[in-house]
Amino acid sequence: MATFRQRESGYWQAVIRRKGYPVESETFQTKKEAQEWARDIESRIDRGAHVSLGEAKSTTLAQALERYEEEVSWKKAGHDQERYRIRAWIQDRLAAKTLATLSVVDFAQWRDDRAAAGAAAATIKNDLAVISNLFNIARRDWGLPIPNPIADLRLKKVDNARDRRLEPGEEEYLIEAISDTGASTKSKRRGDRSNAWVLPAVQFALETAMRRGEQLGMTWNMVNTARHFVSLPKGLTKNGDARDVPLSSRALAVLSALPRQDGRLDRPVFCTTESALEQSFTRAMKRARRNYERECMGAGVYPAPDFLIDLHFHDLRHEATSRLAHRFQMHELQKITGHKDARMVARYYHPRAEDLAKRLD
């Protein structure tokens, strides 16, 4: 039976207590609204159609994200990257709202604000993917009867296709910049050049076309140096399929030069994080560009505007795949790179016009 009482604020609170059901309560501006709500809830209970939103009303987005990270996210291969997104969401103003009160309107406004601040469409989509997965988990696994507000949210189409390859000379400048450990105290204080794992990670990526997450998730027990390949388990690959990646002599040389943490085979091959690797790579790119500009100035020539500009670590996979395409058939290349669709491999296969011209002779 429902009971009603007027609070000091003037609002009316309706409380429904039924044996075998959790207590339901809600506050309204008028008593009439409270009575209508109570009749609706009691009618649903009588028909066996009522689902309680009590837990969803008391759980904030921040609390749900904490639980999601503890129970779900840490098991993912890409947890390191998702953890940063979760931390950012917990600091967001929407984190204080409960799951039951969050709607598509809230996230539409968040989307528009992020876009106005200059965030890329891909970044916005990836940030919202965390929330979408959270709501799906809450509904399926936690038993919270709440819809997914991201499901109806309109997002800008993202075109992730890139054809960025290393131009002649860029690799040499990049390797030199990464190898420069910085002798001065000022350089060391900046912390620009302290990550010793960047150089081998770059060299290994150029030889294997492995993704950044696959490299950093690789452990020594996956490496078969005798038979020259790495066995990536399905939990580590992006498409969820296990695959074997062949190792060239240069790739094997990179691995043989790496230190092994206490000799245990379950230790990571590359002992760094995605964030640290990306930051160090970006800094090395800037140093390489400065070195290039300095040499151009000394030679009295104008530096090329696109040289050592807009190159990401993931572009090394693109470069490596294009290099491997000269040595392997398409179906062989798919097995190496882990693409299920040949059209996806074609996105990474961008031979230069001059290379194609040479085949005509």
Side-chain angles (χ1 to χ4, degrees), residues 172-212:
E172 290 74 17
Y173 274 101
L174 180 59
I175 296 299
E176 181 182 359
I178 296 173
S179 303
D180 179 9
T181 57
S184 70
T185 304
K186 182 179 179 181
S187 296
K188 290 182 179 179
R189 187 165 59 246
R190 286 202 311 267
D192 280 7
R193 315 169 193 188
S194 59
N195 194 335
W197 299 98
V198 180
L199 179 58
V202 167
Q203 293 172 325
F204 195 75
L206 287 171
E207 289 297 314
T208 62
M210 285 173 58
R211 297 179 178 90
R212 179 182 58 190

Side-chain angles (χ1 to χ4, degrees), residues 34-250:
Q35 291 172 330
E36 290 176 350
W37 173 83
R39 281 197 297 269
D40 179 62
I41 296 298
E42 289 180 321
S43 175
R44 289 174 180 271
I45 293 176
D46 292 337
R47 300 196 312 269
H50 176 63
V51 180
S52 177
L53 289 175
E55 186 176 354
K57 289 180 179 179
S58 62
T59 303
T60 65
L61 178 60
Q63 292 170 331
L65 284 165
E66 294 281 4
R67 180 180 177 182
Y68 172 81
E69 182 177 11
E70 181 179 343
E71 298 181 7
V72 181
S73 182
W74 72 270
K75 301 176 184 177
K76 295 183 178 181
H79 169 58
D80 182 66
Q81 189 69 24
E82 188 171 70
R83 182 174 66 247
Y84 290 103
R85 298 186 188 280
I86 292 173
R87 294 296 105 191
W89 271 113
I90 290 176
Q91 299 300 318
D92 192 88
R93 59 179 179 80
L94 292 181
K97 300 192 68 172
T98 65
L99 298 182
T101 57
L102 284 166
S103 68
V104 66
V105 176
D106 294 309
F107 291 104
Q109 185 62 56
W110 180 92
R111 172 205 61 198
D112 295 342
D113 291 343
R114 289 279 282 144
T123 300
I124 294 174
K125 185 175 182 179
N126 290 335
D127 287 344
L128 288 170
V130 175
I131 301 300
S132 180
N133 196 32
L134 166 66
F135 272 89
N136 289 336
I137 292 293
R139 185 180 67 255
R140 292 197 310 261
D141 298 348
W142 300 347
L144 302 185
I146 50 177
N148 183 350
I150 311 301
D152 296 323
L153 187 63
R154 179 178 54 82
L155 295 175
K156 185 177 179 181
K157 186 177 180 181
V158 177
D159 183 9
N160 288 324
R162 286 175 60 89
D163 58 3
R164 180 67 162 93
R165 289 193 59 186
L166 288 171
E167 295 297 328
E170 283 189 321
E171 183 176 349
E172 290 74 17
Y173 274 101
L174 180 59
I175 296 299
E176 181 182 359
I178 296 173
S179 303
D180 179 9
T181 57
S184 70
T185 304
K186 182 179 179 181
S187 296
K188 290 182 179 179
R189 187 165 59 246
R190 286 202 311 267
D192 280 7
R193 315 169 193 188
S194 59
N195 194 335
W197 299 98
V198 180
L199 179 58
V202 167
Q203 293 172 325
F204 195 75
L206 287 171
E207 289 297 314
T208 62
M210 285 173 58
R211 297 179 178 90
R212 179 182 58 190
E214 294 170 345
Q215 280 187 233
L216 299 184
M218 184 175 66
T219 54
W220 285 109
N221 53 14
M222 301 177 191
V223 181
N224 190 325
T225 53
R227 299 177 63 185
H228 297 194
F229 68 85
V230 175
S231 293
L232 300 179
K234 62 181 181 180
L236 183 57
T237 63
K238 184 177 180 179
N239 63 15
D241 291 340
R243 78 175 190 277
D244 294 335
V245 180
L247 298 175
S248 66
S249 57
R250 290 184 63 184

Side-chain angles (χ1 to χ4, degrees), residues 31 74 94 170 178-179 182 218 220 245 250 258 266 271 277 298 302 324 329 331 349:
K31 186 177 181 179
W74 72 270
L94 292 181
E170 283 189 321
I178 296 173
S179 303
M218 184 175 66
W220 285 109
V245 180
R250 290 184 63 184
L258 293 177
D266 60 346
C271 299
L277 179 60
Y302 190 80
L324 292 171
Q329 298 294 324
H331 67 282
Y349 178 47

